[in-house]
Amino acid sequence: MNAPTPDSATLLACAREILDLNWMGHFTVPAQRQYPYQWSWDSAFIAIGYARYDLWRAVEELRALFAAQWADGRVPHIVFHNADPATPYFPGPGFWQVERSPHAPSSLATSGIVQPPVHATAVYSLYQYALACDPASPLRAQALTAVAELFPCLCAWHDYLYRERDPRGEGLVAILHPWESGQDNSPLWDPVLQRMDLRPEEIPPYKRADTGAVNAAERPLDFDYDRYIYLVDFFRQRDFDDRRIIAEGCPFVVQDVLFNTLLCRAEQDLAALAALFGADPAPFLARAARTAAAINRKLWDEQRGYYADFDLGTGTAIPMPALAGFTPLYARIPDAARAARLLDYLGSPAFGLGLHDTGGYPAASYDRFASGYSPRRYWRGPVWIQMNWLLMHGLRDYGYTLEAERLRRAIIELPQIGGFREYFDPETGAGYGAEAFSWTAALLIDVLAEA
Ligand code: GLC
């Protein structure tokens, strides 16, 4: 790896400038042109970055998101603050039509699906930074009050997931759309989407907007996009009622490793918050342990040595080698023996994390030698900063400090090589996707601030 010598102060200033550019006064857009609204898990990562230097913004960011929480507890994946029909974004509020659900908020326009639940983790880290502030600071008191106010919202959010999204009562929640995974265009979804044999008249008319701002070679194919849109239509025809959607044959029902891992970790963090507010942490810890056990029992692939998603439609595992299959390290789910198996594969050139591997930048989002890998196309190989950040923390927890350090260096170096982009080529470090991307900046700020 060709390491540039980072001048931390300059880098930090650039990262903050990007967040300033994307700050809309009470929330942050992921990127101005490509993602001009508020995205759910982006906001959690962005708040983790803000918490390092601007507690007020971190609080506002999460408050703005939870202001759009549905009455059933779901946190929508997009909040269309100040939606303007002239903004070239698709699918916008007019397509989602969430007003069909009795649970959708009336004061804010939103999408009707969810994204990975990193929010309790973000709120817990916000709490810790608030505590470390000068006790006389009014900001500290305000942040602690905000954490107390967010606590019941977080409980309702997790209750929704376990109540509505665990059709078999296994302690594993299901996602119903690739967009709910956060890894929108991963090869993980290929087998499921390819099974969806749609007649042209089943796909509602639509016009993509995502290839206007970003090169089409870095975005999903039309075949995939047709299926994304079909699924949105399937949901709105069923008024976003998850039980009906699942009972009436939704073609995409997947128990996803990353989503369940982040929920498990968030439950652990919610337990820590509960203890602070005089609530009993035991039920949260019990739910986290149950999810961890289910991930170990059902999603572990003994032959390949990583965790694999499970397709409830076919009742089979999805054996595609995605980086997400290693993320259970982030919630301390594998035991030491399984962690060592994970490291055998993660440390191979397939993901670029080998200690003796000098070419490229870790960690590829998909096995570099597997069919379907692309160094450039969205989620099919490029490095994502938030994935590196999750794995960095997981590896540290297991004592794999050298590998964790390589990920940390990539978080710092890639924006210097490829710009503050949405994702990066694991072979060359070139930046792709949206420019001036918020969580790339926020998580860089977080790691630069580490002692
Ligand atoms: C892309 C990513 C998703 C992210 C969104 C906004 O769709 O796949 O994870 O939340 O962009 O940044």
Side-chain angles (χ1 to χ4, degrees), residues 133-149:
C133 284
D134 174 2
S137 147
L139 205 56
R140 180 183 191 266
Q142 269 174 25
L144 294 178
T145 306
V147 170
E149 284 166 8

Side-chain angles (χ1 to χ4, degrees), residues 30 35 39 41-42 115 182 184 378-379 422 437 439:
Y35 306 111
W39 261 255
W41 79 323
D42 295 61
Q115 270 191 326
D184 303 25
Y378 196 51
W379 283 110
E422 189 180 6
F437 195 66
W439 78 34

Side-chain angles (χ1 to χ4, degrees), residues 30 42 91 125 235 243 250 275 328 364:
D42 295 61
S125 95
F235 302 157
R243 292 188 194 193
C250 176

Side-chain angles (χ1 to χ4, degrees), residues 51-184:
R52 291 289 196 168
Y53 71 102
D54 189 337
L55 271 183
W56 175 74
R57 271 205 201 171
V59 164
E60 289 294 294
E61 183 76 36
L62 292 163
R63 273 194 182 143
L65 179 68
F66 278 89
Q69 184 169 28
W70 288 30
D72 61 5
R74 88 180 71 185
V75 176
H77 103 293
I78 303 174
V79 186
F80 298 104
H81 295 286
N82 315 318
D84 171 0
T87 302
Y89 183 80
F90 179 83
F95 194 86
W96 282 98
Q97 300 169 11
V98 296
E99 57 282 2
R100 293 177 184 222
S101 165
H103 304 299
S106 50
S107 53
L108 280 169
T110 75
S111 71
I113 59 170
V114 299
Q115 270 191 326
V118 202
H119 315 89
T121 301
V123 171
Y124 186 49
S125 95
L126 170 65
Y127 170 83
Q128 286 167 318
Y129 293 121
L131 263 199
C133 284
D134 174 2
S137 147
L139 205 56
R140 180 183 191 266
Q142 269 174 25
L144 294 178
T145 306
V147 170
E149 284 166 8
L150 285 167
F151 177 70
C153 308
L154 293 165
C155 296
W157 166 217
H158 290 197
D159 287 349
Y160 158 80
L161 289 171
Y162 281 113
R163 188 184 64 239
E164 304 295 335
R165 294 300 191 92
D166 183 7
R168 311 259 169 106
E170 294 174 288
L172 288 176
V173 305
I175 56 169
L176 307 175
H177 195 296
W179 293 343
E180 293 202 316
S181 71
Q183 313 162 68
D184 303 25

Side-chain angles (χ1 to χ4, degrees), residues 222-235:
D222 286 343
F223 175 90
D224 299 312
Y225 226 88
D226 281 352
R227 278 144 189 82
Y228 301 156
I229 295 308
Y230 170 85
L231 285 168
V232 171
D233 189 44
F234 191 93
F235 302 157

Side-chain angles (χ1 to χ4, degrees), residues 200-215:
E201 64 274 19
E202 288 181 288
I203 304 163
Y206 73 95
K207 190 170 176 319
R208 287 177 72 161
D210 63 310
T211 40
V214 167
N215 188 327

